[in-house]
Amino acid sequence: MSSVFVPGKIIISGEHSVVYGEMAIAASISIGVSAEVVKSGGSKKTEIVRKAIEIAGGNSGLHVWIQSNLPIGSGLGSSAATATAVVKTIREYLGKPIDNDELFKLVMECEKIAHGNPSGIDPATVISGGLISFVKGKPIQKMIFKSPIRLLLVNSGRPKETTREMVEFVAQSKNKEEIITKIGELTERVATMLVNGEEVRGLLNDNGLFLEELGVVGKTARSLSQKLRELGASVKITGAGGVVAGSGMLMAMSPNLAKIKRFLDNGNISYIETQIGDR
Ligand code: MEV
C-alpha cells in the first residue's frame, strides 16, 4: 500500500471575489496532507473524510491513515487537500486510479460540505499543483511567474468561523459588489504583472485592505497587519479569513523580510517562510 501526498495552497489574490466569477491566482505550497489505506486503526473520520471515502467508492470499514502539517481552517486548503488525498489513496487501493478531472468533481462534493458554495479554487490548486489562475467553471490556467515572490505566512490565529460561514457572511454583506469588482480588476492586473516579473507587493497590500473593508478580517489580524505595514510589509489574509477570533494565515511581503522576522520572533508569533513561483 502506498501513501499519497497532496499539497496545501495559498490564494495569492482573489479569495471571496472568485466565488462571484472573478479571477483568482493561487499556488500550491510544500506542506500538505499524506494519506494511506491501512489494515487497521487509521485516523478519526471527520465528516469530510467519511464523505471522501464514500464518493471514492470505498466502504465504511476501510481504515485510512492521514497525516497533515497544514493548520486546520487557516486558509491553507486543509479540507481540499485532505479530501483529495483520501479519494486518491482509496482509488489507488481499489486499483482504479483517477484522473484530475474526475478527482476535481469528487472533491467538489466534499468542498460543498466545507464551503457551502465553493468556487473550486482550493481543489483545483491542490490537484494541479504549481501556480494557477482560476475562474469558476472554466479550465485552470497554469502560470509561470518571471520572478518568484518571497513571503512569510504569518499565523494570526485559527478562525472560529468555518470557510462556509465566511462565504455566507460575504453573501449577506450589503457593500460586497463594489469591493468584489475592485478585487477582480486588481487580480487581473496582478496576473499580468507576475508573468512580466513586475513588483506586485503594493497591489497585494491593496487586496488585503479590500478584504478588511469586506469585513472578513478580525480585530486581531487587522492590528497585526497594521504593525507589519508600519514595518514596511505588504499584507493580506490568504483564504476565507475570520472575524471573531483569528483570521488564519496572513501573507507578509517585504524587501526587508529579516526586519519582519525579527518582529515576529520577538513577539513569539509563528510564521512559515516560503517562496512562490520557482520553476
Ligand atoms: C477559500 O480558500 C477561498 C474562498 O474564496 C472560498 C472559495 O473560493 O471556495 C473564500
Side-chain angles (χ1 to χ4, degrees), residues 9 11 14-16 18-19 75 115 117-122 163 167 239-240:
K9 66 99 205 359
I11 297 182
E15 48 276 90
H16 285 296
V18 67
V19 172
H115 289 202
N117 176 25
S119 65
I121 190 164
D122 289 11
T163 297
V167 169

Side-chain angles (χ1 to χ4, degrees), residues 45-263:
K45 288 181 185 152
T46 60
E47 202 186 347
I48 288 177
V49 171
R50 214 171 285 126
K51 178 83 181 168
I53 293 175
E54 178 201 314
I55 57 176
N59 62 52
S60 55
L62 271 183
H63 299 281
V64 185
W65 165 86
I66 301 166
Q67 190 181 51
S68 173
N69 45 15
L70 296 173
I72 296 170
S74 295
L76 299 187
S78 125
S79 65
T82 302
T84 304
V86 171
V87 170
K88 253 179 126 168
T89 193
I90 289 188
R91 289 291 294 261
E92 276 180 22
Y93 172 79
L94 297 174
K96 295 180 190 163
I98 186 165
D99 67 34
N100 283 356
D101 288 344
E102 196 193 347
L103 186 56
F104 178 79
K105 282 191 198 125
L106 297 188
V107 174
M108 276 299 270
E109 294 305 308
C110 300
E111 283 292 276
K112 284 181 191 151
I113 299 175
H115 289 202
N117 176 25
S119 65
I121 190 164
D122 289 11
T125 313
V126 306
I127 290 170
S128 91
L131 298 164
I132 65 166
S133 73
F134 178 89
V135 177
K136 190 175 176 175
K138 300 211 173 132
I140 60 159
Q141 302 290 323
K142 287 270 190 186
M143 291 180 80
I144 294 175
F145 295 180
K146 202 159 181 189
S147 335
I149 311 178
R150 277 187 66 212
L151 55 90
L152 304 177
L153 292 170
V154 181
N155 196 346
S156 77
R158 185 172 169 181
K160 255 221 157 79
E161 302 86 350
T162 60
T163 297
R164 184 189 187 111
E165 286 164 342
M166 293 311 296
V167 169
E168 275 162 16
F169 170 85
V170 172
Q172 274 154 30
S173 134
K174 297 226 168 18
N175 67 343
K176 67 171 180 297
E177 268 92 17
E178 202 187 324
I179 301 175
I180 278 165
T181 308
K182 282 186 189 157
I183 297 178
E185 285 166 5
L186 177 151
T187 301
E188 298 209 8
R189 279 178 65 200
V190 168
T192 310
M193 288 166 77
L194 285 169
V195 170
N196 294 337
E198 292 167 61
E199 185 47 68
V200 295
R201 282 197 297 267
L203 280 181
L204 294 183
N205 188 63
D206 291 348
N207 186 347
L209 294 169
F210 286 143
L211 289 163
E212 291 181 19
E213 212 179 316
L214 195 57
V216 296
V217 188
K219 224 168 139 192
T220 313
R222 279 204 311 271
S223 89
L224 176 56
S225 303
Q226 179 59 31
K227 284 187 195 129
L228 294 170
R229 286 178 182 129
E230 280 162 18
L231 293 171
S234 301
V235 186
K236 74 173 272 289
I237 57 157
T238 182
V243 184
V244 181
S247 307
M249 290 294 182
L250 304 175
M251 289 168 52
M253 296 143 285
S254 166
N256 189 352
L257 276 186
K259 185 169 162 191
I260 307 297
K261 286 195 315 193
R262 258 194 318 272
F263 165 79

